[in-house]
Amino acid sequence: QVQLVESGGGLVQPGGSLKLSCAASGFSKDYYAIGWFRQAPGKEREAVSCMSSSDSGTRYSDFMKGRFAFSRDNAKNMVYLHLNSLKPEDTAVYYCAAALECSRAPSDFGSWGQGTQVTVSS
């Protein structure tokens, strides 16, 4: 089972930015993709972005209309989510998760981190 640990959340002013980190370990042949999800109080968990790797390269999927950016550092076994132009509506617990391939469905992901809280408030 893949182990995932998120960090980087906190309190930020509207319009500000945050960089979330996800440290990943224990990958096997069954897990090739890492996705970011978020869940606000009283709402469904929703997909933010996803990254998958293969011999042909890396693919990225963005579900937030370009406001958030996904990056990676293979040497450090880390992936990052850059949250830009943050709004109060972005307040949520943000999770990273691992799957065989990228998907918007949380049920397709077999391993999850503990989550990191992002609060956007003036």
Side-chain angles (χ1 to χ4, degrees):
Q1 184 173 336
V2 178
Q3 294 179 321
L4 304 167
V5 180
E6 304 97 330
S7 63
L11 177 64
V12 63
Q13 298 271 336
S17 300
L18 283 174
K19 179 183 177 181
L20 306 184
S21 300
C22 177
S25 63
F27 277 98
S28 71
K29 63 178 181 180
D30 297 321
Y31 295 98
Y32 301 106
I34 295 180
W36 284 97
F37 292 79
R38 70 182 185 183
Q39 188 164 23
K43 296 186 177 181
E44 300 282 339
R45 187 168 298 188
E46 64 176 340
V48 174
S49 63
C50 193
M51 177 189 70
S52 61
S53 298
S54 68
D55 293 337
S56 61
T58 301
R59 298 180 180 180
Y60 297 91
S61 297
D62 176 19
F63 308 119
M64 292 292 167
K65 301 181 179 180
R67 292 200 301 119
F68 304 153
F70 207 145
S71 66
R72 68 174 182 176
D73 187 337
N74 288 336
K76 298 180 180 180
N77 296 316
M78 299 284 289
V79 298
Y80 307 96
L81 182 67
H82 305 264
L83 310 178
N84 306 309
S85 301
L86 284 164
K87 308 172 183 178
E89 307 92 273
D90 295 320
T91 296
V93 177
Y94 285 71
Y95 301 88
C96 60
L100 179 62
E101 269 294 347
C102 280
S103 170
R104 297 185 66 152
S107 61
D108 289 337
F109 289 76
S111 185
W112 293 81
Q114 83 288 349
T116 185
Q117 176 71 47
V118 172
T119 302
V120 185
S121 177
S122 60

